[in-house]
Amino acid sequence: MVKKRAGLVEALKEAGFRMTPQRTAICEALSTRFDHPTAQSLYEQVKAEYSSLSLTTVYQTLDTLLRIGAITSLGSAGDDTIHFEVNTDPHINLACLTCHRICDLNSTAIKALEAEVQQAIGSKVLSGRVVYYSECLEQSDPLDCQFNPASRHKEGRVDE
Amino acid sequence: MVKKRAGLVEALKEAGFRMTPQRTAICEALSTRFDHPTAQSLYEQVKAEYSSLSLTTVYQTLDTLLRIGAITSLGSAGDDTIHFEVNTDPHINLACLTCHRICDLNSTAIKALEAEVQQAIGSKVLSGRVVYYSECLEQSDPLDCQFNPASRHKEGRVDE
DNA sequence: TGCAAATATGTAATGATTACTAAGAAGGAA
DNA sequence: TTCCTTCTTAGTAATCATTACATATTTGCA
């Protein structure tokens, strides 16, 4: 079962941004993907429908979504490329330095962690990234993503 | 009082790497700085003593230290530049997206967090980054680094 | 419908990081 | 100590993700 998150388009509207077909398509792509895509990866996906789409538009849209806090940036997964996070529930991210995939790990301790941050700097926290790096062994695939039932797809491998 | 961490040179030796004056100087610089320097920042610092030092050498040494796990990478602090972490004790990092400084925050919850990661993927964790982003107000300077008594120095502002 | 402001596109620049190669130095063996 | 192999450094050139910019297009409201 593929759970679909929502709210990216709504968040843009609420923040007063205009809706365009490109933004809608990018938001749609983001909300239906449960890996942690890069700009290039999103571009290739949405470009399939919108052949006129520009990579710059993808970067701009991602930047806009970042600024309103609808998504966050996880940084590199060993591939010198920024991976984005759509799941804003507090959780741990596990990144494989070999295949550059990132998966989510539910955590109870992270609530306490964020409470510590809040206490330290008040309400001024804008975003956070909690990422642990490892190597996923091909056999056992310990980084198998709980959100992606077919995590062996090549989706996450955009920039080897 | 400036606390000095140690072990970078020793870690390199134990891992079988040769010691050079450049490496020693870079390790020394790393172990006496309590901000979270970038390659460029380290280069400028060590270059003052070693005028022949190459930026490439700094990158290579940092990469070597990363590979043996003596330091970790925290990624960008809003400046599209990699900041490195010498303090390997588990802790939270607070990054200011305005001045691009990063400071350490002691945490008790992070022990539980790492335990969760260990349980999820066993002993294959290579490194981790726990960074929360904020803006430090000039007046109160909530990100004032606990390690750096004079955190208003410009040391951390290498790449505005 | 018309208009002002926001957005998309495409290309050119930026800049951190890496690749590559020749020269130099470390460290063990004799 | 001296030699020799291997690792390391330095310098420059390349890479490539991301950003800047200028122009054309579109959105959303009056």
Side-chain angles (χ1 to χ4, degrees), chain B residues 9 22-23 71 74 96 108 122 124 130 150:
Chain B
V9 169
Q22 293 92 332
R23 281 183 175 164
I71 64 176
L74 294 179
C96 172
T108 54
K124 290 176 291 300
V130 176

Side-chain angles (χ1 to χ4, degrees), chain A residues 35-106:
Chain A
D35 58 345
H36 298 70
T38 63
Q40 180 70 34
S41 166
L42 275 173
Y43 171 66
E44 289 167 6
Q45 179 182 355
V46 181
K47 178 99 175 173
E49 323 164 21
Y50 271 84
S51 58
S52 71
L53 184 71
S54 165
L55 181 57
T56 302
T57 301
V58 176
Y59 274 108
Q60 286 171 341
T61 302
L62 287 169
D63 185 61
T64 301
L65 289 167
L66 274 178
R67 273 188 286 123
I68 68 176
I71 64 176
T72 64
S73 162
L74 293 179
S76 159
D79 51 3
D80 299 321
T81 310
I82 296 171
H83 290 251
F84 295 91
E85 172 65 82
V86 190
N87 176 16
T88 51
D89 287 340
H91 63 274
I92 299 171
N93 291 282
L94 302 178
C96 173
L97 292 175
T98 300
C99 70
H100 311 312
R101 285 181 300 164
I102 301 176
C103 72
D104 291 351
L105 173 66
N106 286 329

Side-chain angles (χ1 to χ4, degrees), chain A:
Chain A
M1 48 88 181
V2 174
K3 185 172 57 173
K4 176 172 172 180
R5 293 154 305 192
L8 295 183
V9 169
E10 289 74 9
L12 281 175
K13 280 181 183 168
E14 279 178 28
F17 289 95
R18 293 183 181 171
M19 289 315 303
T20 64
Q22 294 91 334
R23 279 186 177 164
T24 304
I26 292 169
C27 288
E28 177 75 12
L30 274 170
S31 62
T32 52
R33 280 181 64 167
F34 291 89
D35 58 345
H36 298 70
T38 63
Q40 180 70 34
S41 166
L42 275 173
Y43 171 66
E44 289 167 6
Q45 179 182 355
V46 181
K47 178 99 175 173
E49 323 164 21
Y50 271 84
S51 58
S52 71
L53 184 71
S54 165
L55 181 57
T56 302
T57 301
V58 176
Y59 274 108
Q60 286 171 341
T61 302
L62 287 169
D63 185 61
T64 301
L65 289 167
L66 274 178
R67 273 188 286 123
I68 68 176
I71 64 176
T72 64
S73 162
L74 293 179
S76 159
D79 51 3
D80 299 321
T81 310
I82 296 171
H83 290 251
F84 295 91
E85 172 65 82
V86 190
N87 176 16
T88 51
D89 287 340
H91 63 274
I92 299 171
N93 291 282
L94 302 178
C96 173
L97 292 175
T98 300
C99 70
H100 311 312
R101 285 181 300 164
I102 301 176
C103 72
D104 291 351
L105 173 66
N106 286 329
S107 167
T108 55
I110 201 159
K111 302 281 197 308
L113 200 77
E114 299 202 342
E116 288 178 333
V117 176
Q118 289 288 345
Q119 184 168 25
I121 60 176
S123 59
K124 290 174 292 298
V125 182
L126 299 176
S127 65
R129 62 174 65 160
V130 177
V131 189
Y132 285 87
Y133 298 90
S134 177
E135 309 271 2
C136 61
L137 304 177
E138 281 306 312
Q139 311 90 320
S140 56
D141 203 6
L143 292 189
D144 198 12
C145 184
Q146 59 182 310
F147 284 142
N148 188 350
S151 66
R152 302 229 175 163
H153 286 175
K154 294 209 175 67
E155 292 182 14
R157 315 189 171 203
V158 283
D159 34 27
E160 190 69 18

Side-chain angles (χ1 to χ4, degrees), chain B residues 37-110:
Chain B
T38 63
Q40 180 69 34
S41 166
L42 274 173
Y43 171 66
E44 289 167 6
Q45 179 183 356
V46 180
K47 177 99 174 173
E49 323 164 21
Y50 271 84
S51 60
S52 71
L53 184 72
S54 165
L55 181 56
T56 302
T57 300
V58 176
Y59 275 107
Q60 286 171 340
T61 301
L62 288 170
D63 186 62
T64 301
L65 289 167
L66 274 178
R67 274 189 283 121
I68 67 175
I71 64 176
T72 63
S73 162
L74 294 179
S76 159
D79 52 1
D80 300 320
T81 310
I82 295 172
H83 290 252
F84 294 90
E85 171 67 83
V86 191
N87 176 16
T88 52
D89 287 340
H91 64 274
I92 299 170
N93 291 281
L94 301 177
C96 172
L97 292 175
T98 299
C99 72
H100 311 314
R101 285 181 298 163
I102 301 176
C103 74
D104 292 350
L105 173 66
N106 285 330
S107 166
T108 54
I110 200 157

